[in-house]
Amino acid sequence: MLKQYDVKKDSYETAGYASYDIKSILKTIGINPRVLKRISIACYEAEINLVIHSDGGTITFEINEDDGTVILCFDDVGPGIPNIEKALTPGYSTASNKAREFGFGAGMGLDNMKNCATTFDIQSSKEGTHLRMTFV
């Protein structure tokens, strides 16, 4: 199974739609509730980061039919993360005032994702960021 979602910059009114849809699909197929919780947290955090920090992007959701691994990829269009190590520090945030008005920007997103995922790989440049997480 493979599904892709478009995410627009500053689309606070629809933020979380893809995460909700992915959670619903996984619930329907009977994924382990503990794994589902980890996926839901990481997916929502990453989707919100696309809305807040990027110029838009895509979420690709895949289930490996051979072993049941769930793969989530988040690809955005700039501006990139200048210092990934710093961005992974709990509490570090570059969220705008607008994002904070909506209740986002605590600086826990990347750390939460990394802690929830079985594998976590992030690459970033001025052209954009690519994040790939797997869940078993």
Side-chain angles (χ1 to χ4, degrees):
M1 169 186 281
L2 180 70
K3 193 164 183 182
Q4 192 167 44
Y5 305 84
D6 290 322
V7 178
K8 306 235 181 295
K9 175 185 176 121
D10 294 331
S11 62
Y12 293 95
E13 63 282 347
T14 58
Y17 167 77
S19 300
Y20 175 80
D21 191 56
I22 291 167
K23 180 179 179 180
S24 297
I25 291 168
L26 292 171
K27 215 177 209 185
T28 300
I29 65 171
I31 195 165
N32 178 307
R34 288 182 183 188
V35 176
L36 178 60
K37 182 177 180 178
R38 292 180 19 241
I39 294 168
S40 298
I41 291 167
C43 188
Y44 182 76
E45 293 280 14
E47 183 175 359
I48 293 301
N49 276 359
L50 282 176
V51 170
I52 293 172
H53 299 290
S54 79
D55 293 329
T58 60
I59 300 170
T60 304
F61 162 58
E62 182 179 358
I63 301 173
N64 182 322
E65 294 180 25
D66 293 334
D67 63 6
T69 299
V70 173
I71 304 159
L72 292 173
C73 294
F74 300 81
D75 295 287
D76 72 45
V77 179
I81 303 169
N83 185 331
I84 292 174
E85 186 176 329
K86 194 171 189 179
L88 282 164
T89 304
Y92 177 78
S93 177
T94 59
S96 67
N97 287 335
K98 182 177 182 178
R100 291 178 194 281
E101 287 173 16
F102 282 97
F104 303 113
M108 296 304 295
L110 286 176
D111 187 57
N112 282 340
M113 289 178 241
K114 187 175 182 180
N115 289 329
C116 287
T118 304
T119 67
F120 176 90
D121 180 62
I122 187 167
Q123 306 294 320
S124 192
S125 71
K126 290 179 183 178
E127 287 75 39
T129 299
H130 173 73
L131 170 62
R132 183 178 192 274
M133 295 182 281
T134 63
F135 303 84
V136 179

